[in-house]
Amino acid sequence: MDWQPILQPVWLTLKLATLTTLLLLLVGTPIAWWLSQTTCRFKHAISAVVALPIVLPPTVLGFYLLFFLGPNGPGGAFTQWLGLGTLPFTFAGLVVASVFYSLPFVVQPMQNAFEAMGQRPLEVAATLRASPWDRFVSVALPLARPGFLTAMVIGFAHTVGEFGVVLMMGGNIPGETKVLSVAIYDHVETMEYAQAHLLSAGMVGFAFLVLLGLYLVNGRIDRQVRA
């Protein structure tokens, strides 16, 4: 069996998931913190916008990203003005699409963790003259650690399992945009069932181990908190 067509999508998928998760933490943390603390009347509308990828068909999101970032879209015009070319059918385009598609899976666990800790720890820190930044870094982040762990794991695993949005945005270019889910689809289309079975079984095993590890670690953290 030729392992190159199998290992290449695996490496590309892991690279995509890692970069996407890091970007989601940078983008999602301030969004989650703001949503957990704000009393703005538009909070629920913004929460709904963030959560849209959960209910939208991936092809719909992929189509509008393709239109927006394409050569005739406003995003595409901007990236071309910057000298970056257009993002569709490139690895960078996959990263952008993955960040949009996995955003709620990272924001919601962190938001829930921030809300669960309540305002009392922050108020106590404020009485000790801690600045808002100090309260966030020294109090909020440590207390929200289980939420961050869940967000990282789910965001990474969700990116690994993407199909519709990456197919719409990236197509099927070997070594550039052909990630695991697209490779499985490609193998099935060409009736290469042995390769499809191998990749699919690996995905099932990966998903199980990721979720099992998450539950075990969160369970240990809960026991430490109770102790």
Side-chain angles (χ1 to χ4, degrees):
M1 180 183 293
D2 184 7
W3 289 95
Q4 180 65 18
I6 293 176
L7 295 179
Q8 194 175 61
V10 171
W11 162 245
L12 191 64
T13 302
L14 292 177
K15 184 169 73 169
L16 174 64
T18 301
L19 184 56
T20 298
T21 303
L22 292 175
L23 290 174
L24 281 170
L25 288 176
L26 290 175
V27 173
T29 299
I31 295 175
W33 176 249
W34 183 82
L35 288 174
S36 69
Q37 302 299 308
T38 187
T39 56
C40 173
R41 62 177 178 174
F42 300 111
K43 172 183 176 178
H44 296 302
I46 296 172
S47 296
V49 171
V50 171
L52 270 178
I54 296 177
V55 296
L56 275 179
T59 49
V60 172
L61 180 61
F63 168 72
Y64 280 112
L65 284 174
L66 193 63
F67 174 79
F68 181 79
L69 296 172
N72 298 319
F78 180 67
T79 56
Q80 289 179 90
W81 178 75
L82 291 175
L84 301 175
T86 54
L87 296 182
F89 308 109
T90 65
F91 181 77
L94 287 188
V95 173
V96 172
S98 298
V99 167
F100 275 100
Y101 188 49
S102 294
L103 184 64
F105 297 91
V106 170
V107 169
Q108 290 185 354
M110 292 192 294
Q111 181 184 346
N112 292 338
F114 286 139
E115 291 173 346
M117 72 183 184
Q119 293 299 314
R120 182 62 178 169
L122 300 175
E123 292 170 353
V124 171
T127 62
L128 298 175
R129 298 184 180 179
S131 67
W133 176 251
D134 287 336
R135 295 199 294 271
F136 177 74
V137 173
S138 302
V139 179
L141 288 184
L143 290 176
R145 184 177 55 172
F148 271 81
L149 177 62
T150 301
M152 290 172 59
V153 172
I154 297 300
F156 186 91
H158 188 257
T159 303
V160 169
E162 291 173 357
F163 175 67
V165 69
V166 295
L167 184 61
M168 291 287 290
M169 189 67 178
N172 186 6
I173 306 173
E176 181 71 22
T177 63
K178 188 176 181 178
V179 294
L180 261 174
S181 57
V182 176
I184 293 171
Y185 179 78
D186 196 32
H187 286 310
V188 173
E189 270 201 321
T190 55
M191 294 187 290
E192 296 173 339
Y193 296 127
Q195 292 90 331
H197 275 304
L198 181 61
L199 293 177
S200 297
M203 292 277 279
V204 172
F206 168 79
F208 173 77
L209 291 175
V210 162
L211 292 174
L212 178 62
L214 177 63
Y215 293 145
L216 290 174
V217 172
N218 277 344
R220 178 179 297 179
I221 294 175
D222 289 340
R223 288 193 295 272
Q224 290 174 351
V225 171
R226 293 192 188 100

